[in-house]
């Protein structure tokens, strides 16, 4: 096993522990049948969820849309919600150009919605929508924004105004192209809905809006996204749904200890490192595609050209670089498979005692950071040799 393989596998192990540390509501009971968390099946299927459009599993996350124009993607839970009180915590990353399009939406609907023109889903719905809008259709400058909607299947969402006249709550949040993924929390308890968010998943949440609303049981949860003339990558990294039916309302939480604060900080750094590794995987794919394009261009140049010797040299260099790129892609695919197996095994293990968890996380964090630095140094050395 190579050094960077060991590094990535260690990251995969730690991320699962991190996820347990980042749950935020006291008294909440996790509902696995409504949640989306790695590890995922090698087939790309997620238990109790249907994927449609461009939505697909990509390593340890679900990519709803690629960085392509006019795409739609969605995931819909196949199990109706029977909880009266619940909380949804989503970790999301939205990345694209200077101007984004179009956005992502969380749905709590009477029926699972078909594909449509409202962030990948239908224009009319019966239930709740919390929308993360990125494109400023009405040119009021209040984007990106979070908006809340309740519909009884009679109102058609107006895309030209970003639906703002029918929104019961909204707030501006600059969540596009953030350095870290961000978190959205949707809490429904005793008829009160509260939507909170941040701009980095490890930062405190800020309340965006509240609303007294009746949400019946038996509805379905879904997340959809869409791009238009402009495009963004819409990544769903974590979706945790918990029941609050057994929790007491408005109980003060004990302030975290200094030890817990330090552990949370290290956990955030480890998860950020994991995201950078995933981005590296995508970069290698892009580079390989560019190599192929350059090689095809060179092949179209006539052999009798006066620059034939230089072209042959370029062909040889490109072939060498492409071979290394293909090898890296193959290595990462193998790493991803091994990582999934390790994550799958870890999810079957009960939580350790708090002290044991702290010791493990500290050790794993130091090990991951050390291995990553060595991997970076090795990559730089290889590039220096190449050129």
């Amino acid at each position: 096993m190579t050094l960077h393989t060991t590094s990535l596998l260690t990251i995969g192990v730690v991320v699962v522990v991190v996820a347990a540390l980042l749950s935020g509501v006291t008294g909440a009971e996790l509902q696995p049948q409504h949640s989306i968390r790695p590890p995922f099946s090698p087939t790309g299927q997620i238990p109790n969820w249907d994927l449609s459009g461009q939505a697909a599993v990509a390593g340890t996350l679900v990519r709803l849309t690629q960085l392509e124009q006019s795409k739609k993607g969605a995931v819909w839970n196949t199990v109706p919600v029977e909880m009266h009180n619940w909380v949804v915590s989503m970790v999301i990353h939205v990345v694209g150009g200077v101007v984004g399009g179009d956005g992502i939406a969380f749905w709590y609907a009477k029926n699972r919605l078909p594909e449509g023109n409202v962030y990948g889903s239908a224009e009319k719905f019966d239930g709740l929508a919390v929308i993360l809008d990125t494109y400023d259709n009405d040119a009021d400058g209040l984007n990106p924004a979070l908006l809340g909607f309740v519909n009884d299947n009679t109102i058609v969402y107006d895309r030209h105004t970003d639906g703002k006249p029918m929104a019961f709550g909204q707030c501006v949040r600059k969540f596009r192209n953030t350095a870290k993924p961000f978190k959205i929390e949707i809490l429904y308890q005793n008829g009160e809905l509260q939507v909170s968010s941040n701009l980095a998943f490890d930062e405190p949440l800020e309340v965006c809006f509240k609303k007294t609303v009746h949400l019946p049981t038996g509805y379905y949860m879904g997340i959809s996204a869409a791009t238009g003339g402009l495009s963004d990558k819409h990544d769903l990294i974590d979706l945790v749904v918990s029941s609050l039916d057994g929790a007491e309302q408005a109980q003060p939480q004990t302030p975290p200890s200094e030890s817990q604060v330090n552990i949370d900080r290290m956990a955030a750094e480890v998860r950020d490192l994991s995201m950078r590794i995933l981005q590296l995987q995508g970069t290698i794919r892009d580079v390989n595609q560019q190599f192929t394009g350059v090689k095809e261009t060179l092949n179209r140049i006539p052999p009798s050209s006066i620059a034939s010797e230089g072209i042959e040299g370029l062909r040889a260099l490109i072939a060498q670089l492409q071979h290394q790129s293909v090898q890296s892609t193959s290595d990462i695919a193998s790493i991803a498979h091994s990582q999934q197996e390790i994550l799958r095994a870890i999810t079957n293990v009960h939580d350790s005692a708090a002290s044991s968890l702290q010791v493990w996380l500290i050790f794993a964090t130091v090990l991951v950071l050390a291995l990553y630095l060595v991997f970076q140094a090795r990559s730089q050395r290889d590039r220096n040799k190449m050129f």
Side-chain angles (χ1 to χ4, degrees), residues 48-50 76-79 109-114 220-222:
N48 303 314
W49 289 83
D50 286 338
W76 278 93
N77 198 192
T78 60
V79 181
K110 185 175 183 179
N111 300 296
R112 296 189 294 163
L113 301 180
Y220 293 88
M221 291 182 177

Side-chain angles (χ1 to χ4, degrees), residues 67-80:
L67 193 61
E68 301 174 3
Q69 295 177 324
S70 303
K71 299 296 182 182
K72 301 169 185 175
V75 289
W76 278 93
N77 198 192
T78 60
V79 181

